[in-house]
């Protein structure tokens, strides 16, 4: 924007110059855009210039777009847009600018913030994000207590300095916070094996890598402060739960206290648990408070006066201080000097740049060395492959290319890159070649087939992804072979990912392989997508996982959630078969409890279907039951659901919500039947236009 350029002209021009020294052409667009569409249309002709526009960065006050009808473009955001306020149920996304094929319809300007614009994805638009170029935001938080233009100037000077250094990808740090991936230690230590494949240069010395866990200290944030401010870190990854202003670090069940962790004296787990319970009690009221107190007093064998008013008053200050020590908040970050050049937030909302203050922005605009962060503007699925293709950074790719493939939001400089920590070849030349191929040859199959012949797992994984844009003959078979035979965790996971999202072939075979893979993340995704798919051949390995995979809590959790999507009688038979043949101490008891659980789940889904089918039920209750189908693709119910969809005498809004929910059955064995029914209803002249519009979207998504 014009004001930011006026205030930081020298720094912006220095940033332009350093990028040109690296071989990038730079166009600076300066203006005061009064709506996002004008800027989008000014970007379009620049994108069309030869040879290629590879990226963009939005500096300062660039219009913020908040999207409706865009929940398919997220991993987990499924809020009811009609029930919740527009400012809560919209998706903040710069895909408006960097995916020029998507089609949008203007809705309104935010009443409280005139720089926020609401658009909705049209019915005829492509329904899958595939950005033409990468993008990032340089947007200083307005609530940091400093002039935003001074923050911008200081930040840009830091970026130019970073581009002039020689920095190898040889020092990485990872942290897992409380509650992430069900606190599964198998998931945590499996990640270490995968990262060693991706960043081999970081495993040559003891200081090259570190893997932290919330269990290591009751107030782990102080240890993280120390690590964040240690010089020389290239990449720091936070796997955690988050909010726009909070990184959730410890929970109510912490590790024993260690001296020097930020508090005087000793604070034991019981003290912290007690404070957590009292703080929870304070947040509740009425019947909810009474229910909570009754359950807690019984579960922990506490005395009746634990929640007395006297005790609550006397402990209020101390409990508040304890709560503040558990998590990282914006006030904490403001005092730090973060050193990692790249910081990644695998968390909900930490990248919410539409907020006055946000975690990802604080990390780069403080006095430190961080030049780029990655974060999400809405909530995000824990089980997504958050580290997909992160090995690109180890091979010298500009971080923007990583962002383009995964559609996260970058805050800061998208052109920053590390150098390969390799023993063979010129690191700078290797980096230049990869970046050039990523920019110019994305759709050239022969280029990526050559990369696939490398012994480097990073290059193999990149090649499998790039081949999806211009698939060679035999691509599905190639993917299945790599999933079955490739020795590298990350390449097998990429093969599974491509089978799921691009090939559409060999899905059952791939999921059977995935459920038996040594890599926890592959097993977890196999268990999750087995439920989305519904082939009966998957019942046996899912039952086996629920019965015997206690060491992999998140895989077991996914399998337990997927099995109710299958035929109950076949599940019963498989439970009986496997328990009888097992070494379980009490097989009959285990079989009985497990069968009873899935019988209960079947009754739950039957009740939900009954509500959906009941024309006398309140539409809001029917719609609520239908929306559950977005997360739980119950293949057993498809025939009954299609009967509701086809009924021209039924409530139109109910049918519209059902048509939208059926658009999430992308992997279902009933997909062809769903597509046929949607087409049939869409062609019927008696079908209301609004329902036809929804059907059009669902058909695009299913195809």
């Amino acid at each position: 924007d014009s004001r930011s350029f006026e205030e930081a002209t020298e720094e912006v021009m220095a940033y332009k110059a350093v990028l040109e020294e690296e071989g990038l052409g730079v166009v600076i667009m300066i203006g005061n855009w009064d709506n996002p569409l004008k800027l989008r249309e000014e970007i379009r002709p620049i994108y069309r210039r030869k040879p290629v526009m590879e990226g963009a960065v939005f500096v300062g006050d660039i219009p913020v777009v908040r999207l409706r009808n865009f929940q398919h473009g997220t991993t987990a955001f499924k809020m009811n847009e009609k029930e919740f306020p527009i400012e809560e149920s919209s998706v903040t996304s710069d895909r408006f600018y960097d995916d020029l094929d998507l089609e949008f319809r203007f809705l309104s300007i935010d009443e409280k913030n005139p720089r926020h614009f609401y658009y909705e994805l049209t019915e005829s638009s492509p329904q899958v994000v595939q950005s033409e170029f990468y993008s990032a935001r340089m947007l200083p938080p307005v609530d940091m207590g400093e002039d935003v233009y001074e923050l911008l100037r200081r930040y840009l000077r830091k970026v130019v300095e970073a581009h002039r250094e020689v920095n190898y990808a040889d020092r990485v740090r990872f942290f897992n916070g409380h509650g992430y991936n069900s606190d599964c230690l198998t998931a945590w230590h499996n990640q270490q094996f995968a990262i060693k494949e991706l960043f081999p240069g970081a495993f040559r010395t003891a200081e090259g890598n570190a893997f932290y866990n919330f269990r290591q200290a009751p107030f782990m944030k102080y240890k993280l402060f120390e690590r964040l401010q240690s010089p020389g870190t290239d990449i720091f990854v936070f796997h955690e739960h988050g909010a726009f202003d909070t990184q959730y670090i410890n929970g109510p069940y912490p590790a024993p206290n260690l001296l020097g962790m930020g508090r005087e004296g000793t604070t034991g787990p019981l003290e912290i648990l007690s404070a957590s319970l009292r703080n929870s009690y304070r947040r509740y009221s009425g019947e909810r408070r009474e229910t909570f107190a009754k359950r807690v007093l019984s579960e922990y064998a506490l005395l009746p006066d634990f929640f007395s008013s006297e005790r609550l008053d006397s402990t209020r200050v101390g409990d508040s201080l304890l709560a503040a020590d558990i998590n990282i908040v914006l006030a904490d970050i403001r005092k730090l000097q973060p050193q990692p050049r790249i910081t990644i937030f695998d968390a909900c909302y930490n990248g919410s740049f539409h907020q006055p203050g946000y975690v990802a922005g604080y990390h780069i605009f403080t006095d430190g060395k961080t030049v780029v962060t990655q974060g999400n503007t809405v909530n995000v699925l824990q089980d997504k492959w958050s580290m997909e293709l992160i090995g690109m950074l180890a091979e010298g790719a500009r971080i923007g290319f990583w962002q383009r493939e995964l559609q996260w939001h970058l805050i800061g400089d998208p052109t920053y890159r590390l150098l390969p920590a390799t023993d063979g070849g010129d690191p700078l030349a290797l980096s230049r070649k990869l970046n050039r191929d990523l920019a110019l040859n994305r759709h050239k199959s022969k280029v990526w087939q050559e990369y696939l012949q490398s012994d480097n797992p990073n290059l193999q994984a990149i090649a499998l992804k790039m081949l999806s844009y211009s698939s060679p003959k035999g691509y599905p078979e190639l993917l299945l072979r790599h999933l079955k035979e490739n020795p590298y965790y990350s390449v097998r996971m990429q093969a599974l990912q491509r089978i799921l999202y691009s090939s559409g072939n060999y899905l059952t075979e791939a999921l059977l392989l995935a459920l038996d893979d040594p890599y926890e993340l592959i097993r977890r995704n196999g268990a999750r997508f087995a439920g989305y798919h519904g082939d009966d051949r998957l019942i046996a390995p899912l039952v086996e996982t629920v019965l015997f995979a206690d060491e992999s809590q998140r895989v077991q959790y996914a399998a337990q959630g997927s099995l109710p999507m299958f035929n109950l009688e076949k599940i019963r038979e498989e439970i009986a078969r496997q328990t009888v043949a097992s070494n379980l101490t009490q097989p009959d008891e285990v079989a009985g409890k497990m069968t009873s659980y899935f019988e209960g789940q079947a009754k739950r889904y039957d009740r939900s279907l009954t509500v959906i089918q009941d024309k006398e039920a309140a539409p809001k209750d029917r719609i609520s039951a239908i929306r559950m189908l977005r997360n739980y693709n119950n293949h057993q119910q498809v025939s009954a659901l299609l009967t509701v969809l086809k009924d021209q005498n039924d409530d139109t809004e109910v049918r519209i919500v059902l048509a939208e929910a059926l658009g999430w059955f992308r992997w279902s064995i009933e997909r062809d039947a769903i597509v046929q029914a949607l087409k049939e209803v869409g062609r019927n002249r008696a079908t209301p236009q609004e329902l036809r519009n929804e059907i059009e979207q669902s058909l695009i998504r299913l195809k």
Side-chain angles (χ1 to χ4, degrees):
D1 70 284
S2 298
R3 176 73 187 277
S4 293
F5 184 74
E6 291 171 5
E7 294 281 353
T9 301
E10 181 180 345
E11 288 78 11
V12 170
M13 297 308 293
Y15 177 54
K16 177 179 187 289
V18 79
L19 297 186
E20 289 174 336
E21 290 171 13
E22 295 178 2
L24 288 172
V26 181
V27 174
I28 302 179
M29 299 171 63
I30 306 163
N32 293 314
W33 292 275
D34 57 6
N35 74 66
L37 188 59
K38 284 186 179 180
L39 176 55
R40 191 180 200 234
E41 292 310 307
E42 289 185 33
I43 289 173
R44 197 179 295 274
I46 298 177
Y47 168 72
R48 289 173 178 161
R49 293 183 190 176
K50 301 294 182 182
V52 69
M53 172 182 166
E54 74 169 58
V57 59
F58 306 116
V59 183
D61 181 19
I62 304 302
V64 172
V65 178
R66 310 203 64 200
L67 296 174
R68 314 285 286 169
N69 193 29
F70 195 67
Q71 296 185 19
H72 280 82
T74 73
T75 64
F77 191 73
K78 296 178 182 177
M79 188 178 290
N80 190 326
E81 292 185 352
K82 293 189 177 182
E83 293 291 328
F84 289 87
I86 189 170
E87 62 270 15
E88 294 180 25
S89 58
S90 299
V91 179
T92 301
S93 179
D94 280 337
R95 303 298 83 80
F96 180 91
Y97 294 118
D98 62 34
D99 191 334
L100 298 175
D101 294 328
L102 298 179
E103 300 169 8
F104 300 98
R105 181 185 299 115
F106 174 72
L107 294 178
S108 63
I109 299 175
D110 192 287
E111 294 180 358
K112 297 180 180 178
N113 192 331
R115 300 302 289 162
H116 291 186
F117 298 79
Y118 294 99
Y119 285 79
E120 70 176 351
L121 192 70
T122 66
E123 297 79 17
S124 58
S125 171
Q127 300 293 311
V128 175
V129 174
Q130 192 174 107
S131 298
E132 273 73 28
F133 52 89
Y134 60 72
S135 70
R137 287 259 174 180
M138 292 183 183
L139 181 59
V142 299
D143 68 346
M144 285 187 68
E146 295 185 59
D147 177 69
V148 293
Y149 302 109
E150 175 56 29
L151 291 174
L152 180 61
R153 288 189 290 267
R154 189 172 68 202
Y155 168 72
L156 285 168
R157 290 194 290 269
K158 176 170 60 175
V159 171
V160 171
E161 173 192 318
H163 275 267
R164 295 221 159 101
E165 71 183 5
V166 176
N167 189 7
Y168 296 97
D170 58 3
R171 191 170 287 192
V172 297
R173 306 281 183 265
F174 290 80
F175 169 72
N176 276 38
H178 167 75
Y180 184 86
N181 283 344
S182 303
D183 298 334
C184 178
L185 288 173
T186 300
W188 183 55
H189 75 62
N190 265 215
Q191 184 189 43
Q192 298 173 40
F193 301 149
I195 295 301
K196 185 176 182 180
E197 288 181 358
L198 305 179
F199 291 91
F203 286 79
R204 293 172 181 166
T205 64
E207 64 182 10
N209 67 90
F211 295 85
Y212 308 116
N213 191 286
F214 75 96
R215 296 175 175 89
Q216 293 166 342
F219 305 109
M220 188 65 190
K221 77 175 190 179
Y222 296 104
K223 180 62 69 176
L224 294 174
F225 291 168
E226 176 193 337
R227 297 295 186 254
L228 276 169
Q229 296 182 103
S230 298
T233 301
D234 302 314
I235 299 173
F236 204 118
V237 177
F238 286 93
H239 297 298
E240 57 177 38
H241 293 296
F244 74 91
D245 59 354
T246 307
Q247 296 177 246
Y248 294 110
I249 305 302
N250 284 102
Y253 308 99
N257 193 30
L258 302 175
L259 295 179
M261 295 307 296
R263 292 183 62 84
E264 295 293 333
T266 59
T267 304
L270 287 178
E271 180 183 351
I272 299 172
L273 174 59
S274 298
S276 176
L277 294 175
R278 288 191 293 264
N279 285 331
S280 296
Y281 181 83
R282 292 183 180 103
R283 289 195 296 270
Y284 298 142
S285 61
E287 183 180 345
R288 191 177 184 191
R289 173 181 279 191
E290 293 177 9
T291 302
F292 174 79
K294 184 178 180 180
R295 178 179 64 82
V296 166
L297 292 174
S298 173
E299 184 174 340
Y300 295 103
L302 300 173
L303 296 175
D305 69 344
F306 185 82
F307 291 122
S308 68
S309 58
E310 294 82 2
R311 186 185 294 265
L312 290 172
D313 289 340
S314 66
T315 58
R316 188 178 301 276
V317 173
D319 290 352
S320 178
L321 292 172
L322 277 170
D325 277 336
I326 289 175
N327 302 315
I328 297 175
V329 296
L330 298 181
D332 294 323
I333 306 169
R334 186 184 298 155
K335 302 171 186 175
L336 302 179
Q337 294 184 350
Q339 297 300 302
R341 286 303 194 188
I342 300 169
T343 302
I344 295 167
F345 302 100
D346 177 22
C348 301
Y349 297 107
N350 280 177
S352 297
F353 58 83
H354 58 284
Q355 298 285 355
Y358 60 107
V359 166
Y362 267 61
H363 273 261
I364 68 167
F365 286 104
T366 53
D367 279 332
K369 291 198 171 184
T370 305
V371 295
V372 60
T373 58
Q374 173 272 323
N376 303 290
T377 63
V378 293
N379 64 327
V380 62
L381 194 71
Q382 286 188 67
D383 294 317
K384 71 177 174 62
W385 187 15
S386 58
M387 296 295 97
E388 180 180 359
L389 294 176
I390 195 173
M392 295 174 76
L393 306 184
E395 303 306 322
R398 286 188 276 276
I399 191 170
F401 285 120
W402 181 60
Q403 178 266 346
R404 184 178 71 172
E405 296 306 320
L406 278 72
Q407 288 97 46
W408 318 138
H409 279 93
L410 292 181
I411 307 300
D413 174 26
T415 70
Y416 184 72
R417 57 102 182 95
L418 302 164
L419 288 175
T422 177
D423 292 328
D426 177 3
L428 187 57
L430 294 171
S431 172
R432 284 174 175 163
K433 181 182 186 309
L434 177 59
N435 282 298
R436 185 173 180 82
D437 285 333
L438 289 168
L440 294 172
N441 298 323
R442 192 182 192 188
H443 295 276
K444 294 182 180 179
S445 177
K446 289 185 178 179
V447 170
W448 303 108
Q449 285 177 311
E450 292 179 7
Y451 275 90
L452 193 58
Q453 303 309 310
S454 168
D455 292 331
N456 184 325
N458 287 327
L459 300 182
Q460 289 182 23
I462 295 168
L464 287 181
K465 176 65 185 288
M466 295 301 151
L467 286 172
S468 69
Y469 296 120
S470 182
S471 303
K473 184 178 180 180
Y475 183 57
E477 291 77 14
L478 174 73
L479 294 174
L480 191 66
R481 186 171 72 251
H482 276 280
L483 176 59
K484 185 176 183 178
E485 301 175 0
N486 198 288
Y488 298 116
Y489 285 16
S490 57
V491 182
R492 294 198 307 278
M493 183 63 208
Q494 185 59 238
L496 175 63
Q497 194 85 332
R498 299 279 58 79
I499 291 171
L500 291 170
Y501 287 100
S502 64
S503 120
N505 295 300
Y506 303 114
L507 184 52
T508 301
E509 293 87 340
L511 293 173
L512 288 168
L513 287 170
L515 283 162
D516 194 40
D517 196 274
Y519 187 17
E520 184 273 349
L521 183 64
I522 294 178
R523 295 198 306 279
R524 193 194 321 162
N525 277 272
R528 183 163 68 94
F529 281 90
Y532 296 147
H533 184 39
D535 190 308
D536 285 347
R537 286 176 286 176
L538 298 164
I539 293 176
L542 289 174
V543 168
E544 182 179 2
T545 299
V546 176
L547 281 171
F548 306 114
D550 293 346
E551 76 288 348
S552 299
Q553 292 100 314
R554 199 68 186 179
V555 181
Q556 199 173 54
Y557 172 80
Q560 185 173 307
S562 288
L563 272 171
M565 303 303 103
F566 294 81
N567 179 275
L568 176 60
E569 188 54 42
K570 293 181 179 179
I571 296 171
R572 280 197 194 102
E573 293 172 359
E574 190 59 35
I575 292 172
R577 186 187 71 81
Q578 292 195 28
T579 52
V580 166
S582 73
N583 293 317
L584 292 167
T585 305
Q586 296 175 308
D588 291 342
E589 182 179 342
V590 172
K593 287 182 178 180
M594 186 170 169
T595 300
S596 177
Y597 171 80
F598 288 110
E599 287 173 345
Q601 291 296 298
K603 290 177 182 177
R604 172 190 171 206
Y605 287 108
D606 286 345
R607 288 194 298 268
S608 180
L609 179 60
T610 299
V611 173
I612 294 171
Q613 294 173 310
D614 184 4
K615 292 183 181 181
E616 301 301 318
K620 67 180 183 64
D621 293 334
R622 300 178 71 191
I623 287 170
S624 177
I626 290 169
R627 289 180 64 82
M628 189 170 68
L629 294 166
R630 305 168 95 201
N631 284 330
Y632 300 98
N633 300 163
N634 197 315
H635 317 283
Q636 310 302 306
Q637 297 180 348
V638 166
S639 178
L641 294 170
L642 296 181
T643 299
V644 176
L645 177 74
K646 294 175 182 179
D647 188 351
Q648 294 290 350
N649 297 317
D650 208 333
D651 183 271
T652 298
E653 184 62 24
V654 168
R655 297 171 71 203
I656 289 169
V657 176
L658 179 55
E660 192 274 342
L662 290 168
W664 293 80
F665 281 63
R666 173 176 177 178
W667 295 278
S668 175
I669 55 171
E670 300 292 341
R671 182 176 65 174
D672 291 345
I674 294 171
V675 168
Q676 183 178 346
L678 288 170
K679 287 180 177 179
E680 178 185 329
V681 177
R683 288 193 297 261
N684 191 326
R685 293 183 180 181
T687 300
Q689 186 59 47
E690 192 177 358
L691 176 54
R692 290 186 186 186
N693 293 343
E694 197 64 63
I695 285 172
E696 182 180 7
Q697 290 188 99
S698 286
L699 285 171
I700 294 172
R701 289 165 181 159
L702 289 168
K703 292 177 182 179

